[in-house]
Amino acid sequence: ININVPNHDYILDFYYKVLGCGMDPRKAANLRPGAPKKTLWANCGASQFHLPYGDVGQAIRGTIGLRFQNLNQVLERLENFPDCYQSYQVVVDETTGQQCIQIMDQYGNHMHCREQDLNRPAPRLTEDWKQPVLWKSDQKEWGDIADDFGIDENQPDGPNCRGIDYVEFRVPPGTAETIALFYEKVLEATT
C-alpha cells in the first residue's frame, strides 16, 4: 500500500512502534542525515507499506485490515505512543465476534487490527515469503536506526504485524461494478 506522508515525524512511531511493522533495510538509509531519497518501507509479513514524502498526507478512502499475533501488545503500544495517531477504539467485530482495534492515524487512514484466528492457519504466502526487516543487532551497519527501529531478537518471528489482510475502498454509488471489472481484468484479482 502506497501512502504519501508530508514528513516522517508521526509515521516512524506509528508504523514501526505502534503497529509493530519491521523497517525494510533496503530503505533504512533514507533516515540517515542528508539522505537524498525520502521513502520508507514498513514490512508486515509478505506485505509492505510504502511511505514516500508527498506535499500532503494521503488518506485512503476506506479501511486497511491488519493481522496480528497478539492484540494486547498493540493496545500496550497505543498507550505508550499516544501522539502518533488521532484516535483508537476497541470494538467487537459483528461478523466474527472477535475483538478489533480501530485506529485512525494522523492523516486519517483507518486501520482495523485483528488477531490471527488460531483455528485457521496463516496464509502460506505469509509464512513462506516474508519481507526483510532491520534487527536491533544490525547496529554495526545501521547504528541508532537499528537501535530505534530494529526488531528485537527476542521476537524471532519478526514484526508483530503479520500482514495486510485487505484494503476496503469506499467508492461513490454506481462505480463499484466498473472498479471491480478493472481489478478482475487488469490485476486478475477476485472481487
Side-chain angles (χ1 to χ4, degrees):
I1 298 174
N2 199 57
I3 300 174
N4 292 346
V5 294
N7 65 60
H8 288 142
D9 292 344
Y10 296 118
I11 65 144
L12 289 171
D13 284 346
F14 181 72
Y15 283 91
Y16 300 111
K17 294 184 180 176
V18 171
L19 293 182
C21 295
M23 179 170 286
D24 194 307
R26 296 170 291 189
K27 292 294 181 179
N30 292 337
L31 285 179
R32 288 187 170 141
K37 295 181 182 177
K38 300 296 182 189
T39 297
L40 295 175
W41 293 346
N43 296 338
C44 41
S47 308
Q48 282 184 327
F49 287 98
H50 290 189
L51 304 164
Y53 271 114
D55 292 336
V56 178
Q58 184 179 13
I60 291 179
R61 284 187 278 178
T63 305
I64 300 167
L66 302 174
R67 184 175 8 87
F68 291 84
Q69 189 170 11
N70 185 323
L71 286 183
N72 289 330
Q73 293 174 357
V74 177
L75 287 170
E76 186 178 311
R77 293 191 304 260
L78 283 163
E79 294 297 323
N80 290 336
F81 298 95
D83 296 332
C84 62
Y85 57 89
Q86 286 187 36
S87 64
Y88 81 91
Q89 65 179 347
V90 180
V91 300
V92 174
D93 186 307
E94 294 175 10
T95 306
T96 65
Q98 300 295 318
Q99 185 181 48
C100 174
I101 303 171
Q102 299 175 345
I103 307 170
M104 184 176 8
D105 75 6
Q106 289 289 353
Y107 303 112
N109 290 295
H110 295 266
M111 315 283 180
H112 286 190
C113 307
R114 292 178 173 83
E115 204 161 277
Q116 183 170 320
D117 184 349
L118 298 177
N119 295 321
R120 284 184 14 199
R124 186 167 169 232
L125 177 64
T126 301
E127 296 305 315
D128 291 349
W129 195 80
K130 295 179 182 177
Q131 296 288 349
V133 296
L134 195 63
W135 295 90
K136 289 216 180 275
S137 62
D138 293 330
Q139 286 183 343
K140 184 176 181 181
E141 181 178 356
W142 296 104
D144 289 344
I145 296 171
D147 191 45
D148 291 342
F149 302 107
I151 300 294
D152 191 325
E153 279 73 20
N154 293 328
Q155 193 176 324
D157 291 336
N160 184 253
C161 183
R162 302 315 231 179
I164 299 171
D165 278 342
Y166 62 88
V167 180
E168 179 181 71
F169 294 103
R170 289 188 304 272
V171 297
T175 61
E177 186 175 331
T178 306
I179 293 168
L181 183 63
F182 168 80
Y183 277 89
E184 288 171 2
K185 297 296 182 188
V186 176
L187 303 176
E188 297 179 5
T190 304
T191 60

